[in-house]
Amino acid sequence: MTPPETTPSSAPAGTTTGPGERIEDIDVSAEMQGSFLEYAYSVIYSRALPDARDGLKPVQRRILFQMSEMGLRPDRGHIKSARVVGDVMGRLHPHGDTAIYDALVRLAQDFTMRVPLVDGHGNFGSLDDGPAAARYTEARMQAAAVAMTDDLDEDVVDFVPNYDNQLTQPEVLPAAFPNLLVNGSSGIAVGMATNMAPHNLIEVAAAAHHLLDNPDATLEELMAYVPGPDLPTGGTIVGLEGIKDAYATGRGSFKTRAKVTVEQLSARRTGLVVTELPYLVGPEKVIEKIKDGVNAKKITGIADVTDLTDRKNGMRLVIGIKTGFSPEGVLEQLYRLTPLEDGFSINNVALVNGKPQTLGLRELLRVYLDHRVSVVTRRSRYRLLRRQERLHLVEGLLVAILDIDEVIQVVRSSDDTAQARARLMDVFDLSTLQADYILELQLRRLTRFSRIELETERDTLRSEIAELETLLASPAALRALVTQELDEVAERFGTPRRTLLTEARGGAAVTPAQRRAAASGGPALEIADLPTMVVLSTTGRAVRVDLPEGTEPPAAATRRNRHDAILSTVVSTTRGELGAITSRGRLVRFTPVDLPSVPANSVQLAAGARINDYLGLTDKKERVLGLVSLASELPITLGTAQGIVKRVTAGGYPNRPDFDIVSLKPGDEVIGVAQGPDAEELVFVTSDAQLLHFGAGQVRPQGVAAGGMAGINLSARATALFFGAVDSASDVIVVTVSTPLDTLPGADPGRAKVTAFGEFPAKGRATGGVRAHAFLKGEAALALAWVGPAPALAVAADGAARTLPDSDAKRDASGTPLDGVVGSVGRSL
């Protein structure tokens, strides 16, 4: 008879509706609650949270244990990561290979772990890119991981069954150093999470040492040893209040900033060079945020961003700054709008006695030290027991060797092993273990030498047993041993601090002008357009001397430095438009905003930029002869080697980056530049020692396309060496230097003469001038000439100071010998 059909909805609870079927009614809410609690428990205790004792999550602990079991020590070769993952998954970890490999990779990343535990070979990823697949990478243990797993075979920790109860695994690793504090941890469980920052091993070990010696140590005392986190990627921690909160309560936060320096990328380009980034921030993430900010017009002043990071030179991110922007101001907005400043929230949640707890610094150290004392105590007990067992066997063996003939007779006369054992125990008063050991004795051990070895071993065992018994009987001795081992590990694996700690939030310097501009909605990041003076040395170095309101103009230095001789100065503003006149007759426009700035009270021209590089002059033979203001109403005056003089009408200059300011004849070049009124005297000095000066008003200003007019008549084979403009009412001197013709340039310093400018009478333009130097035998030409305000400064080609004779010579004298070769002469500030 066929049973009637019954629908599941109508079946009573607990009844059978068909062969092999059983339907039960349950409370869905109760089932969901129970299942969720089981899942939450599994995630919290078996996956997401680290143990406060060894600082490892279960998967990390299983990886290190299995690698130790596989013998993957630092002195062995690397093996495929896939093999490690497979063994961990098959033997110990009941989850997928992806989770295991991710944990293995993290243990090997030196930018994640302060003390890496896995030695990875191959692509283990970067801050921006993931690692290669497990089949492509290789791994083995680091020496620090060996210290984490040492002594596992000496009953130092409890072992628990694996997921299928076929194997056992350690409940916790011995952990020779406080791994949780040193390497930190992060994880998300159900209803809770952990996020712990890495610290410096040397500092943490010192704090643990202090706490072990002083159990009542305060948090302030411990923070004297551990002032804050020490991140693997370095950087700067700004503000310590959040760190103090985290150390006290287990919860807090702090800000990390990248390590950035302002560098001169080229003569006209300043940049920000990033060498350290905040923890877990990669350069590509920074570049992306900068690009987004620039495109959204939230970030200004950025010219370009170049990532020069590589394995050899490490982190190097170069951020170019646009002309006219303050690097410090741009950096401040980058801190605000990009990951160059990043926050880290500390949440010290870890398992203590199987329960999640939020721990401060003192509690973290206390849990670890209690664990380590337990490890050392169990290890000592294990070693004591093993040595006692061995001593028992050695003492029995010594009894047998002392009367070996009788032992042999007893054994030979016994019917079986059991009888031999019983008779040995009865005759020689031995234990069962000793009797069995003697019965297994090999004949080769029955020598006099074996007896000596056994007696030595017995004495050593007795000494070690006494030491272990003393150690176990003294808690202070146990703590001292823990301290000693911790100090040894810190010395072996510790490295200097990488992260700089700063108490207050440091901001970039902002000038009052920038603040006013910001308050009025202007570009606060741009360098303010302040009064400034640009100074060019005779050796081609230029600096900017800012002259804010109330600042005294720079005075002459009392102490000579390199490159101090001044070729040209011009007063303008920071963003003013200036011109540089070159020996090729060109005027090159520029603004001094990116020139190195020096204080007005200490002008150091050695710190200046090379003017040719700053202007981008590629021809090495083209020299900058002077600087002029394009905003001035005064004409520009210049002279050439062929004796041509030209005054250029002020204003009306071509609107081009550079242009020819004089039309030069073939073979001619500009030798001097000035900018001044008609009242000045224009001066030529020729190679055959002729000096001519005449009023600037005698030269009619011309346009830029003109070729000028005759300035001085030159004799055959003579050229003009110097051209300039001076104020005849001031103290002006003339410097001339002659050298013998038959010596190599620079081999003979020659003879120099310094004469008052008033000794030379004025003559009309386009005349021959008057003699300025008398040549001795073997001399026929001047090597150098200069006319300008006293005192004159002479320098060598490398900028080193040279000494000139006093200014008392006649205009046609031959001068006095120099003590060094003079490369150029200029005036002082």
Side-chain angles (χ1 to χ4, degrees):
M1 180 177 179
T2 304
E5 294 183 359
T6 307
T7 61
S9 59
S10 61
T15 63
T16 300
T17 62
E21 295 183 7
R22 182 178 178 85
I23 298 176
E24 293 186 6
D25 287 337
I26 62 171
D27 186 345
V28 176
S29 63
E31 177 65 23
M32 289 294 293
Q33 183 178 8
S35 299
F36 179 79
L37 288 176
E38 289 181 6
Y39 168 74
Y41 180 89
S42 175
V43 171
I44 292 172
Y45 295 96
S46 302
R47 297 177 68 177
L49 298 184
D51 193 295
R53 294 171 291 179
D54 62 4
L56 297 173
K57 300 177 185 179
V59 63
Q60 296 171 327
R61 186 179 304 114
R62 290 161 182 165
I63 289 171
L64 296 182
F65 173 67
Q66 187 57 37
M67 292 181 77
S68 176
E69 291 292 290
M70 296 169 69
L72 302 181
R73 296 181 173 268
D75 56 348
R76 307 286 181 85
H78 297 80
I79 70 166
K80 288 288 186 182
S81 300
R83 180 179 167 190
V84 177
V85 172
D87 278 17
V88 172
M89 182 171 59
R91 294 173 176 269
L92 304 174
H93 199 63
H95 302 287
D97 58 335
T98 301
I100 299 173
Y101 186 54
D102 288 345
L104 175 67
V105 166
R106 186 183 188 278
L107 294 173
Q109 291 175 333
D110 58 1
F111 53 83
T112 302
M113 306 284 284
R114 189 60 180 82
V115 179
L117 301 178
V118 171
D119 179 10
H121 185 221
N123 179 15
F124 274 77
S126 67
L127 288 166
D128 294 307
D129 297 317
R135 61 183 178 275
Y136 298 123
T137 62
E138 298 177 340
R140 66 182 178 188
M141 300 176 73
Q142 290 271 20
V146 176
M148 291 287 293
T149 58
D150 266 347
D151 307 326
L152 275 175
D153 57 347
E154 294 187 292
D155 191 34
V156 292
V157 295
D158 293 334
F159 276 68
V160 295
N162 70 335
Y163 63 88
D164 59 2
N165 293 320
Q166 294 187 15
L167 301 170
T168 59
Q169 59 186 341
E171 181 185 42
V172 65
L173 294 185
F177 61 90
N179 178 64
L180 186 57
L181 272 169
V182 172
N183 280 322
S185 184
S186 63
I188 300 175
V190 178
M192 62 184 66
T194 184
N195 199 34
M196 305 181 67
H199 290 75
N200 186 274
L201 174 56
I202 298 175
E203 296 174 356
V204 172
H209 186 159
H210 181 76
L211 183 59
L212 203 57
D213 293 341
N214 304 275
D216 297 327
T218 63
L219 178 61
E220 289 72 19
E221 292 175 358
L222 296 178
M223 287 190 66
Y225 298 96
V226 185
D230 186 24
L231 308 174
T233 52
T236 302
I237 292 179
V238 184
L240 304 182
E241 287 301 320
I243 296 174
K244 294 176 182 177
D245 293 340
Y247 287 168
T249 66
R251 295 179 184 272
S253 63
F254 60 87
K255 293 284 188 180
T256 57
R257 281 186 169 183
K259 181 179 180 182
V260 186
T261 57
V262 179
E263 296 185 11
Q264 201 72 26
L265 304 182
S266 64
R268 300 193 70 174
R269 176 60 60 84
T270 302
L272 303 173
V273 179
V274 182
T275 54
E276 294 177 2
L277 285 173
Y279 187 45
L280 300 181
V281 173
E284 290 186 7
K285 182 178 179 181
V286 175
I287 294 173
E288 181 182 356
K289 289 294 184 180
I290 291 177
K291 289 182 177 178
D292 291 344
V294 171
N295 292 335
K297 297 183 179 180
K298 294 181 179 179
I299 299 176
T300 57
I302 303 295
D304 53 58
V305 183
T306 307
D307 185 7
L308 302 179
T309 304
D310 56 34
R311 294 183 182 273
K312 180 179 180 181
N313 300 312
M315 169 63 62
R316 186 172 177 84
L317 188 64
V318 181
I319 304 172
I321 305 299
K322 289 182 178 179
T323 299
F325 282 82
S326 166
E328 292 79 10
V330 173
L331 177 59
E332 183 64 28
Q333 66 170 345
L334 289 177
Y335 280 145
R336 289 188 293 105
L337 302 174
T338 73
L340 287 183
E341 179 178 283
D342 196 30
F344 189 97
S345 297
I346 298 176
N347 189 23
N348 296 336
V349 178
L351 297 176
V352 180
N353 297 325
K355 298 179 181 179
Q357 292 188 18
T358 303
L359 307 171
L361 175 63
R362 191 176 186 278
E363 291 74 23
L364 285 167
L365 289 172
R366 174 53 59 195
V367 170
Y368 169 76
L369 289 174
D370 291 345
H371 168 62
R372 194 59 191 169
V373 169
S374 172
V375 167
V376 172
T377 301
R378 293 181 60 164
R379 184 186 66 194
S380 300
R381 288 174 180 166
Y382 178 87
R383 291 176 178 177
L384 175 62
L385 180 60
R386 297 287 83 79
R387 281 156 178 74
Q388 288 174 337
E389 292 174 350
R390 177 60 184 170
L391 178 61
H392 184 62
L393 296 177
V394 169
E395 288 176 341
L397 193 55
L398 281 172
V399 170
I401 290 178
L402 289 174
D403 201 358
I404 191 62
D405 293 335
E406 187 173 356
V407 170
I408 294 173
Q409 179 63 33
V410 168
V411 174
R412 291 184 62 185
S413 60
S414 299
D415 294 333
D416 52 30
T417 302
Q419 185 181 16
R421 180 190 303 112
R423 293 181 64 191
L424 286 173
M425 294 171 60
D426 182 57
V427 174
F428 296 101
D429 194 19
L430 300 175
S431 67
T432 304
L433 290 174
Q434 290 173 323
D436 286 337
Y437 190 66
I438 291 172
L439 289 173
E440 296 172 0
L441 187 67
Q442 297 176 345
L443 291 176
R444 61 183 175 85
R445 299 291 305 275
L446 304 178
T447 64
R448 183 186 307 175
F449 185 69
S450 295
R451 176 182 172 184
I452 295 174
E453 286 181 339
L454 288 172
E455 290 176 344
T456 302
E457 184 181 0
R458 177 196 61 193
D459 296 340
T460 301
L461 288 170
R462 287 176 176 174
S463 175
E464 292 176 351
I465 289 171
E467 291 177 359
L468 288 169
E469 289 176 341
T470 302
L471 175 65
L472 289 170
S474 172
L478 282 170
R479 291 194 300 269
L481 181 58
V482 170
T483 298
Q484 176 186 341
E485 292 180 352
L486 190 58
D487 291 343
E488 291 173 355
V489 170
E491 182 178 358
R492 183 180 177 190
F493 303 116
T495 55
R497 168 171 279 275
R498 299 175 186 171
T499 301
L500 177 66
L501 303 176
T502 57
E503 181 66 37
R505 290 181 59 87
V510 180
T511 66
Q514 290 172 331
R515 290 195 186 96
R516 290 194 296 271
S520 60
L525 299 178
E526 295 187 11
I527 297 175
D529 194 20
L530 300 173
T532 190
M533 183 175 71
V534 180
V535 183
L536 176 65
S537 74
T538 60
T539 51
R541 293 179 180 269
V543 297
R544 189 184 83 234
V545 185
D546 290 334
L547 303 172
E549 186 177 350
T551 302
E552 293 293 330
T558 58
R559 180 179 178 182
R560 292 289 306 277
N561 297 295
R562 284 183 179 270
H563 310 285
D564 271 356
I566 305 302
L567 175 64
S568 178
T569 61
V570 61
V571 176
S572 178
T573 62
T574 309
R575 297 176 178 275
E577 191 172 37
L578 303 180
I581 310 297
T582 75
S583 57
R584 300 294 190 195
R586 293 195 306 146
L587 185 148
V588 181
R589 294 175 181 266
F590 74 98
T591 60
V593 66
D594 288 325
L595 279 173
S597 177
V598 296
N601 58 357
S602 179
V603 178
Q604 295 289 336
L605 285 164
R610 296 185 182 275
I611 191 65
N612 281 35
D613 296 337
Y614 186 79
L615 299 176
L617 303 184
T618 57
D619 187 351
K620 294 183 178 180
K621 294 182 179 181
E622 187 174 18
R623 297 172 291 112
V624 175
L625 301 174
L627 307 177
V628 296
S629 172
L630 299 184
S632 173
E633 297 181 356
L634 297 175
I636 300 170
T637 308
L638 49 87
T640 74
Q642 294 182 4
I644 300 298
V645 63
K646 179 183 180 183
R647 298 187 79 197
V648 183
T649 305
Y653 305 114
N655 189 20
R656 296 196 299 268
D658 64 274
F659 55 88
D660 290 337
I661 197 170
V662 61
S663 179
L664 294 174
K665 295 179 180 179
D668 199 5
E669 67 174 359
V670 178
I671 59 170
V673 178
Q675 187 176 31
D678 293 350
E680 289 187 328
E681 288 285 304
L682 305 182
V683 185
F684 276 101
V685 181
T686 67
S687 59
D688 58 352
Q690 296 297 309
L691 184 149
L692 173 67
H693 68 92
F694 51 88
Q698 300 181 31
V699 182
R700 178 176 54 84
Q702 299 174 312
V704 294
M709 59 186 68
I712 184 172
N713 287 334
L714 300 173
S715 61
R717 293 187 299 275
T719 59
L721 286 182
F722 171 84
F723 173 81
V726 298
D727 181 0
S728 58
S730 61
D731 185 12
V732 180
I733 57 176
V734 178
V735 179
T736 53
V737 179
S738 63
T739 57
L741 293 175
D742 57 352
T743 60
L744 295 173
D748 190 332
R751 305 173 70 83
K753 179 177 70 70
V754 180
T755 309
F757 182 68
E759 295 286 328
F760 300 88
K763 300 183 71 174
R765 181 183 61 83
T767 60
V770 297
R771 188 169 65 175
H773 193 104
F775 296 120
L776 297 179
K777 184 178 181 181
E779 298 178 342
L782 294 179
L784 184 149
W786 179 83
V787 182
L793 300 181
V795 296
D798 63 354
R802 291 286 186 262
T803 302
L804 293 173
D806 295 334
S807 175
D808 58 1
K810 297 181 180 180
R811 66 185 175 103
D812 59 350
S814 59
T816 57
L818 291 169
D819 57 0
V821 176
V822 174
S824 58
V825 178
R827 63 181 178 84
S828 65
L829 282 176

